[in-house]
Amino acid sequence: MTDTMDMIRQGVDIPLHRREKPLRNAGSDAYQALRQGVAVREVSSSLENSNLKDRTGTPATGRIAVVTGATGGIGQALVRRMLGCGYRVVILSRQVQADMPGVTSIACDLTDMDSIRKAAETILTHAPQLDVIVHCAGIITPRAVGEMGTQEIADQIAVDLAAPIELTNTLLPAMRRGGHIVFVNSMAAVFPLAGSSVYTAAKFGLRGFARALEQELRPRRIQVSSIYPASVNTPMLRREMDAGGSIYNFIDQPQEPDVTAQRILECCERNSREIFSSVFDKLFTHACLASQGLLNLSLPVMKILGRMGYRTYKRRTSRM
């Protein structure tokens, strides 16, 4: 985590033209198409002396974005891209990172509602108008029902659902007309994930919150979007699998974080509501929601493909 700013700094020049690899053909196996496609502590120096203002004290001319989960793989890549587009970025993390040009770090524990409110108050005091909020933070602890610890349940619901709601609620008065709120959700929000039921429940709830919020904010011309990436090659994914995570993550090979970051940034810049990695992902997952029978029929084949994909992933990563 202490290396986060260096990693962001080194990657500012990543080109914006990279895209996902084309979808693979299904061939004779239809399911080959599946899955294509932060106790706040006091800040040592106030934001008035931070990078929300330039060295002369003049307010920054760039758009101001608040990003959670910026120390994770997707979040780091997103901050790099935002800096390259002229954004001023406020990041929330458990430990304050060393500021760098364009980035201000604020300590915030997303499992603590008081911490979230204090962090939001700090932001609003010095940045009374915001353009973008990106909820990128998330945690998952794979565990079967009946085997889960109380704290594991509470932490997942806090970070994955309660924190985005509380932070949005607190920062919303500062959102400019024409602003954008983006929720980085998960395919678990539309596809029940056995073994990760709490995570699934939180993501389902986040989708409902975003949809209702979009209706509320329409008169203010504030956009609300949700993005549902397929699996992403991040430390979070590797920790999930080490803890017994879902093999379905590997029906197709995980995307690189920069691909998802680019999709999030594009989402911030245009009118969009729900974005999936592919049309197939959207149609298939919604069909499984509508039909329990289809879901039950699909799972055995998906498990086989997932195991094959996981073996490929392990071979590829072992050579790196």
Side-chain angles (χ1 to χ4, degrees):
M1 186 173 293
T2 58
D3 296 331
T4 297
M5 291 303 171
D6 288 337
M7 297 177 69
I8 292 173
R9 190 180 291 110
Q10 293 167 6
V12 170
D13 294 326
I14 288 178
L16 298 181
H17 62 273
R18 290 174 57 187
R19 293 296 187 271
E20 298 177 66
K21 295 180 180 179
L23 303 185
R24 299 185 301 182
N25 290 327
S28 58
D29 295 318
Y31 289 99
Q32 286 289 354
L34 294 170
R35 302 292 293 276
Q36 309 288 327
V38 173
V40 147
R41 67 178 173 86
E42 293 297 327
V43 179
S44 58
S45 59
S46 77
L47 283 175
E48 288 181 306
N49 297 318
S50 75
N51 288 300
L52 288 180
K53 297 187 176 184
D54 66 20
R55 299 300 181 184
T56 64
T58 304
T61 57
R63 302 179 75 193
I64 298 178
V66 175
V67 179
T68 70
T71 60
I74 297 173
Q76 288 181 3
L78 176 61
V79 172
R80 292 197 297 261
R81 287 190 172 275
M82 284 185 155
L83 291 175
C85 291
Y87 279 84
R88 299 283 182 153
V89 186
V90 180
I91 67 174
L92 303 183
S93 62
R94 286 181 178 271
Q95 296 180 351
V96 173
Q97 308 292 316
D99 285 352
M100 60 174 284
V103 178
T104 296
S105 173
I106 298 178
C108 183
D109 181 354
L110 290 181
T111 66
D112 186 331
M113 296 299 107
D114 287 336
S115 177
I116 295 172
R117 284 189 288 270
K118 290 176 182 178
E121 289 169 2
T122 303
I123 296 171
L124 294 177
T125 298
H126 303 287
Q129 288 190 308
L130 302 173
D131 298 287
V132 174
I133 303 173
V134 181
H135 298 283
C136 199
I139 61 171
I140 180 171
T141 305
R143 199 87 70 215
V145 177
E147 300 175 2
M148 296 181 290
T150 300
Q151 196 61 49
E152 291 174 338
I153 297 172
D155 286 350
Q156 289 181 91
I157 293 176
V159 174
D160 297 328
L161 179 59
I165 293 175
E166 178 62 27
L167 190 60
T168 300
N169 180 59
T170 311
L171 293 180
L172 190 58
M175 288 295 293
R176 301 180 195 266
R177 185 178 181 87
H180 208 131
I181 302 173
V182 180
F183 298 92
V184 182
N185 207 306
S186 166
M187 291 294 286
V190 289
F191 193 88
L193 198 58
S196 298
S197 55
V198 176
Y199 181 78
T200 298
K203 292 301 186 178
F204 264 79
L206 188 62
R207 186 188 190 201
F209 175 73
R211 284 191 159 193
L213 182 65
E214 189 273 333
Q215 296 179 42
E216 290 186 22
L217 298 185
R218 200 175 298 165
R220 291 179 55 182
R221 302 282 180 89
I222 296 176
Q223 299 294 323
V224 178
S225 300
S226 294
I227 182 167
Y228 303 88
S231 60
V232 183
N233 187 21
T234 63
M236 177 176 171
L237 177 61
R238 293 188 286 273
R239 289 193 298 268
E240 176 188 349
M241 297 311 296
D242 289 343
S246 175
I247 203 70
Y248 303 140
N249 286 315
F250 298 92
I251 292 173
D252 192 29
Q253 288 302 294
Q255 300 173 349
E256 291 306 310
D258 196 58
V259 173
T260 303
Q262 172 63 22
R263 294 174 69 90
I264 297 169
L265 184 58
E266 291 174 347
C267 186
C268 294
E269 301 293 336
R270 68 189 184 194
N271 184 353
S272 53
R273 295 180 182 174
E274 293 195 322
I275 301 176
F276 289 80
S277 293
S278 70
V279 174
F280 181 86
D281 279 357
K282 181 176 182 178
L283 295 179
F284 179 75
T285 54
H286 282 75
C288 286
L289 280 179
S291 172
Q292 184 69 36
L294 176 61
L295 174 63
N296 292 339
L297 286 172
S298 303
L299 290 177
V301 179
M302 294 171 63
K303 185 172 292 186
I304 294 173
L305 294 175
R307 287 172 176 166
M308 294 171 57
Y310 189 44
R311 287 196 293 268
T312 300
Y313 173 80
K314 295 287 283 188
R315 288 196 299 267
R316 180 167 60 87
T317 54
S318 66
R319 294 194 293 265
M320 294 180 178

